[in-house]
Each structure stands twice: as C-alpha cells, then as structure tokens.
Amino acid sequence: MLARLLRPRHEASAHCDLPCGVYDPAQARIEAESVKAIIKKYAENDDPVFRTRALIIKEQRAELVKHHLWVLWTDYFKPPHLEQYPQLHQLFWDATKLAGAAGAKGTVDPSLADDLLAKIDEIAKIFWETKAA
C-alpha cells in the first residue's frame, strides 16, 4: 500500500534523466577520438589479450558515440533546424552508421574513424550555429 502511494504519477526521461537542456557534440567527439586511439593501439600491439580488450572497449566507445549522437538528434534538434539545415538527417544517418557495426564499431580501419570524426565535426558546426542563433 505504501509503495503504491509513493510511486510517481508521471515519469519522464532524458539523456541525463532530467530534461536539463544541456547538449554538446563534444561528448560524441571525445568517444570517437577514443575509438580512433584504440584502433591505433590495436594495430601497434600483437598481444592477443590486449587486442581482445581493445576491441571490447572500442565497441563500447563506438556505442557511446551513437548514444550521444542520437541524444542530439532526438532531443536537441527540432523541425526548424531541419528546415534550415536539410542535410542534418543525412549527416546523422551517416555518422551513426560510421559509429556502428558497418563502421568504427565493427572494424579496425582508422580511415573510418577519421570519417566518423569528420561527420561529428559537421554536426558540431551546425549545432553551434543553431546555439548562436
């Protein structure tokens, strides 16, 4: 009975469990930089245990890239942004694909990590333009 009385009547969720309004593409970029650095360390090391650990961590970081990008796409950017920057949908599509299994998460190709960072930079440029407006 007491648990029923104390249960919240409304539930809300956001990337930080509170609609704080704090967004920054730097979060995705930091994780993507980590992916790129891990790919480099992986290539420079022959120890199978190290390489296994590196792949696991790289995949976790790539998943965080996708998470931070989706938070921006679904929580920050609104229809007026898409009207002003019609390339946004394609940029997010490309960036999340580059972070996913077909990209940095599923490979150790450093050029894909560079491509991912370039897409994040394009998104960041638009993000900061919208913040300045």
Side-chain angles (χ1 to χ4, degrees), residues 12-104:
S13 63
H15 71 103
C16 60
D17 296 325
L18 180 70
C20 63
V22 177
Y23 304 100
D24 195 328
Q27 293 173 299
R29 181 160 180 81
I30 289 167
E31 299 300 348
E33 289 281 358
S34 180
V35 167
K36 181 179 177 180
I38 292 168
I39 289 171
K40 183 177 186 295
K41 289 180 180 289
Y42 175 91
E44 295 171 347
N45 196 306
D46 292 329
D47 176 31
V49 174
F50 176 87
R51 289 172 70 109
T52 299
R53 286 180 51 232
L55 289 176
I56 291 167
I57 295 167
K58 176 186 65 75
E59 289 180 8
Q60 292 169 343
R61 299 295 119 192
E63 194 62 33
L64 285 170
V65 172
K66 290 189 333 184
H67 168 77
H68 292 303
L69 288 172
W70 278 112
V71 166
L72 285 172
W73 182 234
T74 60
D75 295 356
Y76 173 75
F77 286 105
K78 305 291 185 240
H81 296 133
L82 191 56
E83 290 171 13
Q84 187 176 2
Y85 300 95
Q87 73 274 32
L88 266 176
H89 179 79
Q90 190 65 45
L91 276 173
F92 275 96
W93 175 266
D94 293 344
T96 53
K97 291 296 183 184
L98 282 166

